[in-house]
Amino acid sequence: MTDLISASGDLAAAEAAVLVVGVFSGEDAPEIPESAAGVDAAFGGRLARQLADLGNTGGASSLTRLPAPEGLAAGLVYAVGLGDAEDLDDETLRRAAGTAVRAAFGKDSVAIAFEGDPGATAVGAALGAYRFEGYKTDGGGDEPPAAVSVYGATEEALRKAAVLAESVALVKDWADAPANLLRPPTFAAEIRQAALDAGLEVEVLDAEALSAGGYGGVLAVGGGSAAEPRLVRLSYRPEGAAKHVALVGKGITFDSGGINVKPGAGMWDMKGDMAGAAAVVGATVAAAKLGLNVAVTCTVALAENMLSGSSYRPSDVLTIRNGMTVEILNTDAEGRLVLADAISRALEDEPDALYDVATLTGGQVIALGKRTMGLMGTDAETERLRRLGEETGEPGWAMPFPEDLVKLMESSIADVSQCATGLKRDGHMIQGGIFLSKFVPEDLPWAHLDIAGPADSDSAYGYISKGATGRPLRTLVALLEEFAA
């Protein structure tokens, strides 16, 4: 893990392999801020002109590498664009710092001085230093910098940035792991170890316990796999906490679609169908490490949706933990079934609010794209999460529950239909939220976060590397901070 170091004084005096300066956009050349004045002086006051000659006019997250002139201890200077000075915000800083650190892989040390909040810069730098180790026998390429010095950052800000980055890395490592190495029993064991390391209480239910407990959704979805399902519960109980929040996550370690088998193209991405479970576990671990004054119960349902003679079928009727019955129409809509069980169990602890996270529907990507999560639930909580997502750089958008779609979820033989009658695709993402709403009391603050797109990125940008993103862990931590305040 990259060490974050608090620094002060003139960046030009830093003894680091790479100095990173932020520059603002200008009409003909970038504008050099006060934080980069010493470095600019080392360039004879011509840094802006050199950058302009190289095509960098300060656009957000643009990056230009320059050999350091005499007088600087560093060998390289990276100039990163921060965009218009009047529009500078924390997400711009996070992305700029992440861009610079990713570009500095293979260098041993980096020093960064930006305008704006050093805490945001530290978070971006820490997130940008992530690298998935992978399984290459000849190594995984250049190492991230061993140390990043952030000018103006307090020790408290650096500690929080490090905890967030460590927790996001945990989520990304799990979500990027191949499905043969992270089947439900293994995932449960790894969650248990991470939770114990953070001082959390842990309960793991195996298939026998799930059967005794009436978890019909988890058992049905996991019934086609040789790797039996699990339900894992983590408890964080700080002394004096006035609020109790329930976090619930979908943990499908691989989703073949079951009998309604998915097309082969893209099925390999289904190893990440457990990203919701990973995110809520990571957020709970982060809350414990940060010592947040809010009680958290995290419930994740882990299963592998496979095809075999013991797979569940379209037309089956399942009984969920809370006693409600569900008519099955599509075995590839399995996530909502395991979430129904997990939500039902979480409600037995009488939380003050409940939030569930899942890579639930392809409809989320169709409606909102790869970077904006779908938010459904009570109005106050979807708006709260939209606001927090905007602040953390993990955007979301609230979706309605139209009357016509609610009616489509009615079943003639069970309490609720798993999907819209006739498998109509109308508002596919919303159908998942409507289904889950049937298991949540109307008076409980609740939100469902569909992260099917945002959980993974096809390319690297800012502080995001290609692959799993770790979203929406930082939004969840910000949410828990509000409850703790």
mmCIF file of all heavy atoms in Angstrom, residues 55-100:
data_model
loop_
_atom_site.group_PDB
_atom_site.id
_atom_site.type_symbol
_atom_site.label_atom_id
_atom_site.label_comp_id
_atom_site.label_asym_id
_atom_site.label_seq_id
_atom_site.Cartn_x
_atom_site.Cartn_y
_atom_site.Cartn_z
ATOM 1 N N GLY A 55 0.764 21.575 -25.950
ATOM 2 C CA GLY A 55 -0.666 21.333 -26.133
ATOM 3 C C GLY A 55 -1.474 21.256 -24.868
ATOM 4 O O GLY A 55 -2.664 20.920 -24.916
ATOM 5 N N ASN A 56 -0.889 21.555 -23.720
ATOM 6 C CA ASN A 56 -1.623 21.502 -22.463
ATOM 7 C C ASN A 56 -2.047 22.909 -22.063
ATOM 8 O O ASN A 56 -1.207 23.747 -21.726
ATOM 9 C CB ASN A 56 -0.752 20.888 -21.358
ATOM 10 C CG ASN A 56 -1.519 20.668 -20.057
ATOM 11 O OD1 ASN A 56 -2.550 21.280 -19.817
ATOM 12 N ND2 ASN A 56 -1.009 19.782 -19.221
ATOM 13 N N THR A 57 -3.339 23.184 -22.117
ATOM 14 C CA THR A 57 -3.842 24.496 -21.720
ATOM 15 C C THR A 57 -4.608 24.436 -20.398
ATOM 16 O O THR A 57 -5.351 25.346 -20.068
ATOM 17 C CB THR A 57 -4.745 25.085 -22.814
ATOM 18 O OG1 THR A 57 -5.833 24.184 -23.064
ATOM 19 C CG2 THR A 57 -3.975 25.330 -24.095
ATOM 20 N N GLY A 58 -4.424 23.342 -19.645
ATOM 21 C CA GLY A 58 -5.006 23.261 -18.308
ATOM 22 C C GLY A 58 -6.344 22.571 -18.219
ATOM 23 O O GLY A 58 -7.000 22.637 -17.169
ATOM 24 N N GLY A 59 -6.786 21.910 -19.280
ATOM 25 C CA GLY A 59 -8.047 21.172 -19.219
ATOM 26 C C GLY A 59 -8.020 20.131 -18.118
ATOM 27 O O GLY A 59 -6.981 19.535 -17.818
ATOM 28 N N ALA A 60 -9.175 19.894 -17.482
ATOM 29 C CA ALA A 60 -9.241 19.004 -16.326
ATOM 30 C C ALA A 60 -8.659 17.626 -16.633
ATOM 31 O O ALA A 60 -9.000 17.005 -17.643
ATOM 32 C CB ALA A 60 -10.680 18.868 -15.863
ATOM 33 N N SER A 61 -7.743 17.191 -15.777
ATOM 34 C CA SER A 61 -7.077 15.878 -15.826
ATOM 35 C C SER A 61 -6.150 15.686 -17.012
ATOM 36 O O SER A 61 -5.658 14.581 -17.239
ATOM 37 C CB SER A 61 -8.109 14.733 -15.774
ATOM 38 O OG SER A 61 -8.702 14.667 -14.492
ATOM 39 N N SER A 62 -5.897 16.748 -17.800
ATOM 40 C CA SER A 62 -4.841 16.647 -18.813
ATOM 41 C C SER A 62 -3.509 16.520 -18.089
ATOM 42 O O SER A 62 -3.339 17.030 -16.977
ATOM 43 C CB SER A 62 -4.841 17.886 -19.708
ATOM 44 O OG SER A 62 -4.651 19.061 -18.925
ATOM 45 N N LEU A 63 -2.558 15.826 -18.681
ATOM 46 C CA LEU A 63 -1.279 15.613 -18.003
ATOM 47 C C LEU A 63 -0.127 15.730 -18.986
ATOM 48 O O LEU A 63 -0.179 15.161 -20.080
ATOM 49 C CB LEU A 63 -1.248 14.238 -17.327
ATOM 50 C CG LEU A 63 0.020 13.929 -16.502
ATOM 51 C CD1 LEU A 63 -0.339 13.186 -15.229
ATOM 52 C CD2 LEU A 63 1.013 13.102 -17.316
ATOM 53 N N THR A 64 0.881 16.486 -18.586
ATOM 54 C CA THR A 64 2.091 16.638 -19.392
ATOM 55 C C THR A 64 3.303 16.343 -18.519
ATOM 56 O O THR A 64 3.429 16.868 -17.412
ATOM 57 C CB THR A 64 2.208 18.065 -19.958
ATOM 58 O OG1 THR A 64 1.058 18.341 -20.758
ATOM 59 C CG2 THR A 64 3.466 18.219 -20.792
ATOM 60 N N ARG A 65 4.184 15.490 -19.028
ATOM 61 C CA ARG A 65 5.426 15.166 -18.317
ATOM 62 C C ARG A 65 6.543 16.047 -18.843
ATOM 63 O O ARG A 65 6.730 16.176 -20.052
ATOM 64 C CB ARG A 65 5.779 13.694 -18.534
ATOM 65 C CG ARG A 65 4.762 12.688 -18.038
ATOM 66 C CD ARG A 65 5.167 11.293 -18.478
ATOM 67 N NE ARG A 65 4.324 10.235 -17.971
ATOM 68 C CZ ARG A 65 3.193 9.833 -18.531
ATOM 69 N NH1 ARG A 65 2.770 10.433 -19.653
ATOM 70 N NH2 ARG A 65 2.488 8.850 -18.003
ATOM 71 N N LEU A 66 7.314 16.611 -17.909
ATOM 72 C CA LEU A 66 8.450 17.451 -18.272
ATOM 73 C C LEU A 66 9.681 17.010 -17.490
ATOM 74 O O LEU A 66 9.573 16.681 -16.301
ATOM 75 C CB LEU A 66 8.161 18.927 -17.937
ATOM 76 C CG LEU A 66 7.013 19.611 -18.686
ATOM 77 C CD1 LEU A 66 6.700 20.938 -18.026
ATOM 78 C CD2 LEU A 66 7.383 19.808 -20.144
ATOM 79 N N PRO A 67 10.845 17.011 -18.105
ATOM 80 C CA PRO A 67 12.071 16.783 -17.333
ATOM 81 C C PRO A 67 12.293 17.970 -16.399
ATOM 82 O O PRO A 67 12.091 19.127 -16.776
ATOM 83 C CB PRO A 67 13.159 16.695 -18.406
ATOM 84 C CG PRO A 67 12.591 17.402 -19.590
ATOM 85 C CD PRO A 67 11.114 17.214 -19.544
ATOM 86 N N ALA A 68 12.663 17.660 -15.177
ATOM 87 C CA ALA A 68 12.863 18.735 -14.201
ATOM 88 C C ALA A 68 14.114 19.536 -14.534
ATOM 89 O O ALA A 68 15.149 18.960 -14.894
ATOM 90 C CB ALA A 68 12.973 18.153 -12.800
ATOM 91 N N PRO A 69 14.056 20.854 -14.437
ATOM 92 C CA PRO A 69 15.248 21.678 -14.685
ATOM 93 C C PRO A 69 16.223 21.600 -13.519
ATOM 94 O O PRO A 69 15.905 21.066 -12.446
ATOM 95 C CB PRO A 69 14.656 23.082 -14.805
ATOM 96 C CG PRO A 69 13.442 23.048 -13.933
ATOM 97 C CD PRO A 69 12.876 21.662 -14.088
ATOM 98 N N GLU A 70 17.397 22.113 -13.723
ATOM 99 C CA GLU A 70 18.377 22.165 -12.635
ATOM 100 C C GLU A 70 17.820 22.994 -11.495
ATOM 101 O O GLU A 70 17.106 23.968 -11.695
ATOM 102 C CB GLU A 70 19.686 22.785 -13.138
ATOM 103 C CG GLU A 70 20.432 21.904 -14.127
ATOM 104 C CD GLU A 70 21.784 22.500 -14.477
ATOM 105 O OE1 GLU A 70 22.207 23.466 -13.794
ATOM 106 O OE2 GLU A 70 22.411 22.004 -15.427
ATOM 107 N N GLY A 71 18.163 22.577 -10.292
ATOM 108 C CA GLY A 71 17.663 23.277 -9.117
ATOM 109 C C GLY A 71 16.562 22.523 -8.409
ATOM 110 O O GLY A 71 16.236 22.831 -7.267
ATOM 111 N N LEU A 72 15.958 21.540 -9.096
ATOM 112 C CA LEU A 72 14.949 20.699 -8.462
ATOM 113 C C LEU A 72 15.561 19.338 -8.157
ATOM 114 O O LEU A 72 16.307 18.780 -8.967
ATOM 115 C CB LEU A 72 13.729 20.517 -9.372
ATOM 116 C CG LEU A 72 12.927 21.772 -9.721
ATOM 117 C CD1 LEU A 72 11.737 21.397 -10.611
ATOM 118 C CD2 LEU A 72 12.444 22.485 -8.467
ATOM 119 N N ALA A 73 15.219 18.787 -6.985
ATOM 120 C CA ALA A 73 15.729 17.471 -6.624
ATOM 121 C C ALA A 73 15.049 16.373 -7.425
ATOM 122 O O ALA A 73 15.607 15.303 -7.619
ATOM 123 C CB ALA A 73 15.530 17.233 -5.117
ATOM 124 N N ALA A 74 13.844 16.636 -7.889
ATOM 125 C CA ALA A 74 13.090 15.641 -8.641
ATOM 126 C C ALA A 74 13.655 15.478 -10.052
ATOM 127 O O ALA A 74 14.296 16.389 -10.598
ATOM 128 C CB ALA A 74 11.628 16.054 -8.723
ATOM 129 N N GLY A 75 13.374 14.323 -10.641
ATOM 130 C CA GLY A 75 13.788 14.094 -12.019
ATOM 131 C C GLY A 75 12.734 14.490 -13.027
ATOM 132 O O GLY A 75 13.034 14.786 -14.182
ATOM 133 N N LEU A 76 11.453 14.508 -12.582
ATOM 134 C CA LEU A 76 10.343 14.795 -13.485
ATOM 135 C C LEU A 76 9.345 15.743 -12.823
ATOM 136 O O LEU A 76 9.176 15.732 -11.591
ATOM 137 C CB LEU A 76 9.611 13.511 -13.866
ATOM 138 C CG LEU A 76 10.340 12.519 -14.783
ATOM 139 C CD1 LEU A 76 9.596 11.190 -14.800
ATOM 140 C CD2 LEU A 76 10.442 13.089 -16.195
ATOM 141 N N VAL A 77 8.688 16.529 -13.653
ATOM 142 C CA VAL A 77 7.566 17.366 -13.211
ATOM 143 C C VAL A 77 6.349 16.976 -14.035
ATOM 144 O O VAL A 77 6.424 16.922 -15.272
ATOM 145 C CB VAL A 77 7.868 18.870 -13.393
ATOM 146 C CG1 VAL A 77 6.618 19.700 -13.109
ATOM 147 C CG2 VAL A 77 9.015 19.301 -12.485
ATOM 148 N N TYR A 78 5.260 16.666 -13.353
ATOM 149 C CA TYR A 78 3.997 16.398 -14.031
ATOM 150 C C TYR A 78 3.085 17.605 -13.814
ATOM 151 O O TYR A 78 2.838 18.000 -12.665
ATOM 152 C CB TYR A 78 3.291 15.168 -13.456
ATOM 153 C CG TYR A 78 3.920 13.840 -13.763
ATOM 154 C CD1 TYR A 78 3.362 12.674 -13.261
ATOM 155 C CD2 TYR A 78 5.073 13.714 -14.549
ATOM 156 C CE1 TYR A 78 3.916 11.436 -13.523
ATOM 157 C CE2 TYR A 78 5.645 12.487 -14.812
ATOM 158 C CZ TYR A 78 5.068 11.343 -14.294
ATOM 159 O OH TYR A 78 5.627 10.117 -14.546
ATOM 160 N N ALA A 79 2.579 18.154 -14.895
ATOM 161 C CA ALA A 79 1.601 19.237 -14.802
ATOM 162 C C ALA A 79 0.232 18.657 -15.133
ATOM 163 O O ALA A 79 0.026 18.107 -16.219
ATOM 164 C CB ALA A 79 1.942 20.358 -15.764
ATOM 165 N N VAL A 80 -0.686 18.769 -14.197
ATOM 166 C CA VAL A 80 -2.022 18.205 -14.362
ATOM 167 C C VAL A 80 -3.036 19.339 -14.422
ATOM 168 O O VAL A 80 -3.027 20.237 -13.577
ATOM 169 C CB VAL A 80 -2.376 17.258 -13.201
ATOM 170 C CG1 VAL A 80 -3.721 16.576 -13.456
ATOM 171 C CG2 VAL A 80 -1.299 16.225 -13.010
ATOM 172 N N GLY A 81 -3.908 19.296 -15.405
ATOM 173 C CA GLY A 81 -4.918 20.333 -15.547
ATOM 174 C C GLY A 81 -6.009 20.223 -14.502
ATOM 175 O O GLY A 81 -6.471 19.120 -14.177
ATOM 176 N N LEU A 82 -6.438 21.377 -13.985
ATOM 177 C CA LEU A 82 -7.524 21.450 -13.009
ATOM 178 C C LEU A 82 -8.748 22.149 -13.569
ATOM 179 O O LEU A 82 -9.715 22.401 -12.839
ATOM 180 C CB LEU A 82 -7.053 22.180 -11.743
ATOM 181 C CG LEU A 82 -5.874 21.554 -10.988
ATOM 182 C CD1 LEU A 82 -5.479 22.435 -9.808
ATOM 183 C CD2 LEU A 82 -6.216 20.145 -10.519
ATOM 184 N N GLY A 83 -8.712 22.476 -14.865
ATOM 185 C CA GLY A 83 -9.858 23.146 -15.467
ATOM 186 C C GLY A 83 -9.950 24.602 -15.052
ATOM 187 O O GLY A 83 -8.968 25.222 -14.628
ATOM 188 N N ASP A 84 -11.138 25.175 -15.159
ATOM 189 C CA ASP A 84 -11.382 26.576 -14.810
ATOM 190 C C ASP A 84 -11.261 26.755 -13.302
ATOM 191 O O ASP A 84 -11.873 26.002 -12.529
ATOM 192 C CB ASP A 84 -12.776 26.985 -15.288
ATOM 193 C CG ASP A 84 -12.987 28.490 -15.248
ATOM 194 O OD1 ASP A 84 -12.529 29.135 -14.283
ATOM 195 O OD2 ASP A 84 -13.611 29.024 -16.177
ATOM 196 N N ALA A 85 -10.508 27.752 -12.876
ATOM 197 C CA ALA A 85 -10.285 27.989 -11.442
ATOM 198 C C ALA A 85 -11.593 28.220 -10.699
ATOM 199 O O ALA A 85 -11.747 27.810 -9.540
ATOM 200 C CB ALA A 85 -9.345 29.174 -11.251
ATOM 201 N N GLU A 86 -12.556 28.856 -11.346
ATOM 202 C CA GLU A 86 -13.826 29.155 -10.689
ATOM 203 C C GLU A 86 -14.677 27.900 -10.497
ATOM 204 O O GLU A 86 -15.596 27.902 -9.675
ATOM 205 C CB GLU A 86 -14.604 30.193 -11.501
ATOM 206 C CG GLU A 86 -13.917 31.554 -11.569
ATOM 207 C CD GLU A 86 -14.734 32.556 -12.354
ATOM 208 O OE1 GLU A 86 -15.788 32.153 -12.913
ATOM 209 O OE2 GLU A 86 -14.344 33.731 -12.411
ATOM 210 N N ASP A 87 -14.387 26.844 -11.243
ATOM 211 C CA ASP A 87 -15.183 25.615 -11.161
ATOM 212 C C ASP A 87 -14.491 24.510 -10.364
ATOM 213 O O ASP A 87 -14.985 23.379 -10.325
ATOM 214 C CB ASP A 87 -15.481 25.087 -12.571
ATOM 215 C CG ASP A 87 -16.318 26.056 -13.378
ATOM 216 O OD1 ASP A 87 -17.115 26.793 -12.778
ATOM 217 O OD2 ASP A 87 -16.163 26.081 -14.620
ATOM 218 N N LEU A 88 -13.369 24.831 -9.730
ATOM 219 C CA LEU A 88 -12.616 23.807 -9.018
ATOM 220 C C LEU A 88 -13.456 23.193 -7.908
ATOM 221 O O LEU A 88 -14.026 23.887 -7.080
ATOM 222 C CB LEU A 88 -11.341 24.413 -8.422
ATOM 223 C CG LEU A 88 -10.399 23.432 -7.706
ATOM 224 C CD1 LEU A 88 -9.816 22.433 -8.697
ATOM 225 C CD2 LEU A 88 -9.277 24.193 -6.990
ATOM 226 N N ASP A 89 -13.538 21.860 -7.889
ATOM 227 C CA ASP A 89 -14.252 21.159 -6.828
ATOM 228 C C ASP A 89 -13.452 19.929 -6.414
ATOM 229 O O ASP A 89 -12.410 19.616 -6.996
ATOM 230 C CB ASP A 89 -15.668 20.785 -7.264
ATOM 231 C CG ASP A 89 -15.705 19.888 -8.499
ATOM 232 O OD1 ASP A 89 -14.665 19.286 -8.846
ATOM 233 O OD2 ASP A 89 -16.775 19.789 -9.125
ATOM 234 N N ASP A 90 -13.958 19.234 -5.411
ATOM 235 C CA ASP A 90 -13.211 18.103 -4.853
ATOM 236 C C ASP A 90 -13.031 16.978 -5.858
ATOM 237 O O ASP A 90 -11.991 16.321 -5.881
ATOM 238 C CB ASP A 90 -13.916 17.577 -3.603
ATOM 239 C CG ASP A 90 -13.764 18.505 -2.409
ATOM 240 O OD1 ASP A 90 -12.977 19.472 -2.506
ATOM 241 O OD2 ASP A 90 -14.434 18.260 -1.384
ATOM 242 N N GLU A 91 -14.043 16.722 -6.682
ATOM 243 C CA GLU A 91 -13.917 15.624 -7.636
ATOM 244 C C GLU A 91 -12.846 15.926 -8.684
ATOM 245 O O GLU A 91 -12.108 15.034 -9.113
ATOM 246 C CB GLU A 91 -15.257 15.336 -8.314
ATOM 247 C CG GLU A 91 -15.228 14.225 -9.348
ATOM 248 C CD GLU A 91 -14.854 12.845 -8.802
ATOM 249 O OE1 GLU A 91 -14.691 12.698 -7.570
ATOM 250 O OE2 GLU A 91 -14.722 11.906 -9.618
ATOM 251 N N THR A 92 -12.731 17.194 -9.091
ATOM 252 C CA THR A 92 -11.660 17.576 -10.017
ATOM 253 C C THR A 92 -10.300 17.300 -9.397
ATOM 254 O O THR A 92 -9.391 16.771 -10.055
ATOM 255 C CB THR A 92 -11.779 19.060 -10.382
ATOM 256 O OG1 THR A 92 -13.040 19.290 -11.021
ATOM 257 C CG2 THR A 92 -10.661 19.485 -11.326
ATOM 258 N N LEU A 93 -10.154 17.626 -8.113
ATOM 259 C CA LEU A 93 -8.891 17.377 -7.414
ATOM 260 C C LEU A 93 -8.610 15.883 -7.298
ATOM 261 O O LEU A 93 -7.478 15.435 -7.526
ATOM 262 C CB LEU A 93 -8.928 18.009 -6.019
ATOM 263 C CG LEU A 93 -8.949 19.529 -5.957
ATOM 264 C CD1 LEU A 93 -9.220 20.006 -4.534
ATOM 265 C CD2 LEU A 93 -7.633 20.108 -6.467
ATOM 266 N N ARG A 94 -9.642 15.127 -6.946
ATOM 267 C CA ARG A 94 -9.449 13.683 -6.817
ATOM 268 C C ARG A 94 -8.995 13.074 -8.150
ATOM 269 O O ARG A 94 -8.065 12.264 -8.206
ATOM 270 C CB ARG A 94 -10.742 13.016 -6.341
ATOM 271 C CG ARG A 94 -11.065 13.230 -4.868
ATOM 272 C CD ARG A 94 -12.222 12.366 -4.410
ATOM 273 N NE ARG A 94 -13.476 12.814 -4.977
ATOM 274 C CZ ARG A 94 -14.369 13.583 -4.340
ATOM 275 N NH1 ARG A 94 -14.114 14.009 -3.109
ATOM 276 N NH2 ARG A 94 -15.499 13.923 -4.920
ATOM 277 N N ARG A 95 -9.666 13.456 -9.215
ATOM 278 C CA ARG A 95 -9.318 12.881 -10.524
ATOM 279 C C ARG A 95 -7.927 13.319 -10.976
ATOM 280 O O ARG A 95 -7.170 12.522 -11.547
ATOM 281 C CB ARG A 95 -10.361 13.277 -11.568
ATOM 282 C CG ARG A 95 -11.705 12.610 -11.365
ATOM 283 C CD ARG A 95 -12.578 12.756 -12.596
ATOM 284 N NE ARG A 95 -13.889 12.176 -12.401
ATOM 285 C CZ ARG A 95 -14.784 12.015 -13.366
ATOM 286 N NH1 ARG A 95 -14.503 12.416 -14.603
ATOM 287 N NH2 ARG A 95 -15.968 11.465 -13.122
ATOM 288 N N ALA A 96 -7.596 14.576 -10.729
ATOM 289 C CA ALA A 96 -6.276 15.061 -11.136
ATOM 290 C C ALA A 96 -5.172 14.338 -10.377
ATOM 291 O O ALA A 96 -4.162 13.920 -10.968
ATOM 292 C CB ALA A 96 -6.185 16.572 -10.900
ATOM 293 N N ALA A 97 -5.353 14.174 -9.070
ATOM 294 C CA ALA A 97 -4.345 13.478 -8.271
ATOM 295 C C ALA A 97 -4.241 12.017 -8.696
ATOM 296 O O ALA A 97 -3.135 11.464 -8.817
ATOM 297 C CB ALA A 97 -4.688 13.574 -6.788
ATOM 298 N N GLY A 98 -5.382 11.378 -8.942
ATOM 299 C CA GLY A 98 -5.365 9.989 -9.380
ATOM 300 C C GLY A 98 -4.695 9.821 -10.726
ATOM 301 O O GLY A 98 -3.933 8.871 -10.948
ATOM 302 N N THR A 99 -4.962 10.744 -11.642
ATOM 303 C CA THR A 99 -4.321 10.713 -12.963
ATOM 304 C C THR A 99 -2.809 10.779 -12.829
ATOM 305 O O THR A 99 -2.069 10.032 -13.493
ATOM 306 C CB THR A 99 -4.826 11.885 -13.823
ATOM 307 O OG1 THR A 99 -6.223 11.725 -14.062
ATOM 308 C CG2 THR A 99 -4.096 11.943 -15.158
ATOM 309 N N ALA A 100 -2.340 11.696 -11.972
ATOM 310 C CA ALA A 100 -0.900 11.872 -11.790
ATOM 311 C C ALA A 100 -0.250 10.641 -11.168
ATOM 312 O O ALA A 100 0.811 10.186 -11.614
ATOM 313 C CB ALA A 100 -0.638 13.098 -10.925
#
